[in-house]
Amino acid sequence: MSVTVRVPAKVNVQLAVGGARPDGFHDLANVFLAVGLYDEVTVTPAEELRITCTGPDAAQVPLDRTNLAARAALELARRYDLDPAVHIHIAKDIPVAGGMAGGSADGAGALLACDALWGTGASRGELLDICAELGSDVPFSLVGGAALGVGRGEQLRALEVGGTFHWVFAMAERGLSTPAVFREFDRMNEGVRIPEPVASQELFDALRKGDSDALAAAVSNDLQPAALSLFPALADTLAAGRAAGALAALVSGSGPTTAFLAPGAESAKTVAEALLASGTCRSVRVTESPAPGATVL
Ligand code: C5P
């Protein structure tokens, strides 16, 4: 018997970052939008906990207990006094170290899959608590759709989305470490008084109306200057997407994946082809949002 869960990637349509807190984290106003790129996490009873991974970026995925999927299984087993003897297989389609919450998706996916396999009957609230322990972006991977995350991003409020948004994602030649991007943010803002992060009402309205032009006008990412500072070539990718007709071009989360909002499905294809032809990225993906959260298949 095995259980498979499908989990989406995310793009941050707003990432407002406050100053560093005493615990090293940053207060955020983080507007997450789930997009239709998915990892599939399958759990099967086994002799002992082990992880395997397949997919284009599989070689970069840690297969030890630092993997968020393993940590999710271990934490659920600990809470319910169970033996965490499962084989976790990750069919990975979300870019690794890309700023699209791929690792978080696997954590949420493994948690939901183990919960179903073991029949723990944990409440949604408890699953969300475990997700928040695992990482700031993990609760959103469980719920999907669109949500505002405050605190370190883990306290979620669901947002209404009134239409389909068309996206192109450009994968970079190498990854970026999220802590390193936050450190660069701190370095670039040394001595600057950083205001409290505030969510944009214009952005909420754009999502609710399904209005791509309004969304394009409202997107923002305070981590983008830090990501560009560590990875200057991303500016060329952003420029290539803009030149090809993207309504908005931004770094996804801490990057280095870049996200391009297109006015429709056809123009998304045009933007994707232009990005590939520009030679400024490793690969491109065309997809839509919103996407559902972690789902047992
Ligand atoms: O919570 P998560 O493990 O995903 O965070 C990874 C790293 O990103 C943290 O260790 C921290 O350096 C940085 N981070 C932050 N403020 C946040 C979220 C993450 O500084 N709100």
Side-chain angles (χ1 to χ4, degrees):
M1 193 218 156
S2 59
V3 177
T4 298
V5 170
R6 194 180 76 153
V7 211
K10 60 85 181 162
V11 61
N12 308 81
V13 282
Q14 183 186 7
L15 186 43
V17 182
R21 314 191 307 201
D23 66 1
F25 282 89
H26 297 71
D27 277 320
L28 305 177
N30 192 350
V31 182
F32 296 101
L33 186 59
V35 301
L37 299 181
Y38 302 93
D39 281 359
E40 284 186 9
V41 182
T42 300
V43 297
T44 313
E47 291 285 299
E48 56 179 9
L49 178 64
R50 71 186 181 97
I51 304 189
T52 54
C53 183
T54 51
D57 289 354
Q60 297 164 57
V61 175
L63 301 179
D64 59 17
R65 292 184 173 209
T66 63
N67 188 302
L68 283 178
R71 289 181 43 211
L74 288 165
E75 178 57 19
L76 189 68
R78 190 190 66 75
R79 290 185 181 219
Y80 287 85
D81 202 18
L82 297 165
D83 181 3
V86 279
H87 170 204
I88 303 173
H89 180 71
I90 302 168
K92 178 153 274 304
D93 197 34
I94 305 174
V96 175
M100 297 190 76
S104 299
D106 301 340
L111 184 67
L112 196 63
C114 288
D115 179 60
L117 183 72
W118 296 334
T120 59
S123 68
R124 191 76 172 167
E126 187 177 9
L127 293 178
L128 284 168
D129 283 348
I130 298 174
C131 286
E133 259 178 46
L134 295 172
S136 308
D137 290 351
V138 185
F140 180 72
S141 300
L142 192 70
V143 304
L148 167 67
V150 297
R152 42 183 252 273
E154 87 288 13
Q155 299 160 30
L156 297 179
R157 169 157 75 85
L159 297 173
E160 203 185 318
V161 185
T164 303
F165 295 104
H166 299 271
W167 293 95
V168 181
F169 292 94
M171 309 340 177
E173 296 292 347
R174 62 179 170 90
L176 268 180
S177 131
T178 301
V181 175
F182 274 102
R183 276 198 302 276
E184 181 67 1
F185 173 89
D186 290 339
R187 194 192 62 77
M188 293 172 80
N189 288 289
E190 228 175 289
V192 177
R193 219 195 72 78
I194 301 173
E196 287 282 300
V198 180
S200 154
Q201 188 59 48
E202 289 75 24
L203 189 87
F204 293 165
D205 293 343
L207 289 173
R208 191 167 35 77
K209 291 182 188 147
D211 183 335
S212 297
D213 289 304
L215 183 63
V219 294
S220 67
N221 179 359
D222 288 354
L223 288 182
Q224 183 159 316
L228 287 174
S229 165
L230 296 177
F231 200 150
L234 293 180
D236 300 333
T237 321
L238 292 172
R242 276 192 209 102
L247 299 174
L250 74 163
V251 169
S252 178
S254 59
T257 303
T258 41
F260 303 86
L261 183 61
E266 276 308 309
S267 49
K269 272 192 222 156
T270 310
V271 170
E273 281 159 19
L275 281 165
L276 255 194
S278 75
T280 62
C281 57
R282 171 167 62 100
S283 58
V284 293
R285 297 293 297 271
V286 176
T287 185
E288 293 178 354
S289 63
T295 309
V296 177
L297 296 183

